[in-house]
Amino acid sequence: MYDFLLGGRDNYPVDRAACEELLEMAPSTRELALVNRAFLARAVRYLAEECGITQYIDHGSGLPTPPNVHQIVQEIHPRNTRVVYVDNDPIVHGHGKMMLEENTASTAVILQDMRDTNAVFRSDEVRRLIDLGKPVACLFVSVLHCLPEKDDPWKLVRDVARRLPPGSYMVISQLASDDEQLRSDITQFMHRITGGKWGEVRSLAEVNRFFDGLELVEAPAPCEVSLWRPAGDLGPRQRTKEWVEYGGVARVP
């Protein structure tokens, strides 16, 4: 569905039908996907250019969509970039391995559930590529809403941050709305079309909790992500905001 909303080709009729139904409920959804992808690119470029971060773990990376994390970072640090993509979807894993065939010395994709932090950090590829003695950026971009409250996504974020050295960064965004009825309607719809394999749209206050114990950068508080270091008036915007991608970038103290 996300690929379809971004204008990609790796989607099926059922995905397109679901997106059409979702767009009837929340017409700004296509713009929301574009806004979120632009946020990912700006955040990674900021971390690479201004913070000197060369190591990245992208949790729940999804299907490869240019510009990918490693492509952005390699423009700035062509020789010492290290990127590991994590996803539990075999299709994502297959596409990712094909994409990275010429970058295996510095990039990898692992087939793993991001909820299993031990398995991610103990994986051969993370141990091969990521030096935990140096700062790392961990990305949770438009993925935490895939986890229900019972999975405690806040604990997941804390567990990952705890494993990182000081001076590392967390990039976090998730679908959010302060309209309780809309949250309920979209959450129920997504559960129906995924057979219960989804999480929930959260309130802004619930997303704020992901940043507890972290030091927000470039913004005094989490925000609708098009407002985080906006790329002028030419960047994508949502015409209406029934729900938003809400989050930010934070430093691990």
Side-chain angles (χ1 to χ4, degrees):
M1 291 174 65
Y2 190 62
D3 176 80
F4 171 70
L5 291 168
L6 291 174
R9 298 180 178 179
D10 294 310
N11 51 78
Y12 298 93
V14 65
D15 302 313
R16 298 190 283 275
C19 283
E20 292 302 329
E21 189 171 344
L22 182 57
L23 285 164
E24 289 184 10
M25 299 170 61
S28 66
T29 298
R30 190 183 306 278
E31 288 83 2
L32 181 151
L34 294 168
V35 159
N36 182 69
R37 193 69 195 180
F39 165 66
L40 170 67
R42 291 198 311 279
V44 170
R45 185 168 295 279
Y46 163 79
L47 292 173
E49 282 185 339
E50 301 192 29
C51 306
I53 303 298
T54 59
Q55 304 188 105
Y56 296 78
I57 303 176
D58 187 357
H59 293 79
S61 56
L63 287 165
T65 305
N68 293 285
V69 172
H70 71 282
Q71 294 167 328
I72 299 169
V73 184
Q74 284 175 353
E75 289 180 11
I76 301 155
H77 302 286
R79 297 187 178 181
N80 61 340
T81 294
R82 300 289 184 268
V83 178
V84 178
Y85 297 98
V86 181
D87 206 289
N88 67 347
D89 185 337
I91 296 176
V92 168
H93 185 248
H95 278 260
K97 287 182 72 67
M98 287 190 292
M99 174 189 70
L100 300 176
E101 281 179 341
E102 298 180 1
N103 282 275
T104 55
S106 60
T107 57
V109 56
I110 63 174
L111 184 62
Q112 187 57 253
D113 191 324
M114 68 177 182
R115 291 171 293 187
D116 193 342
T117 305
N118 283 334
V120 170
F121 278 80
R122 291 174 182 172
S123 68
D124 291 342
E125 298 291 26
V126 168
R127 289 189 294 181
R128 176 175 72 90
L129 292 174
I130 304 298
D131 179 357
L132 290 175
K134 299 177 181 179
V136 180
C138 282
L139 313 181
F140 290 92
V141 178
S142 198
V143 70
L144 291 168
H145 49 247
C146 295
L147 303 182
E149 186 173 359
K150 67 180 179 62
D151 286 342
D152 199 348
W154 300 276
K155 181 178 183 297
L156 168 62
V157 169
R158 291 195 304 270
D159 286 348
V160 170
R162 180 173 49 82
R163 294 168 188 264
L164 304 179
S168 295
Y169 288 84
M170 304 284 284
V171 183
I172 300 168
S173 71
Q174 98 129 70
L175 295 168
S177 173
D178 273 343
D179 182 330
E180 184 176 358
Q181 187 61 53
L182 182 72
R183 290 201 307 270
S184 175
D185 289 347
I186 295 180
T187 295
Q188 290 179 33
F189 169 73
M190 292 300 294
H191 274 279
R192 175 167 61 83
I193 65 170
T194 63
K197 297 178 180 179
W198 209 70
E200 56 193 85
V201 182
R202 295 190 163 91
S203 68
L204 305 188
E206 288 175 313
V207 180
N208 289 342
R209 289 172 50 201
F210 288 123
F211 295 92
D212 288 351
L214 302 173
E215 299 173 351
L216 283 155
V217 298
E218 298 297 309
C223 59
E224 191 265 299
V225 296
S226 71
L227 302 177
W228 190 88
R229 286 176 60 97
D233 294 331
L234 298 179
R237 296 286 191 274
Q238 287 181 250
R239 291 191 298 269
T240 58
K241 296 183 179 180
E242 306 94 359
W243 58 337
V244 298
E245 281 283 353
Y246 183 77
V249 179
R251 184 178 181 274
V252 177

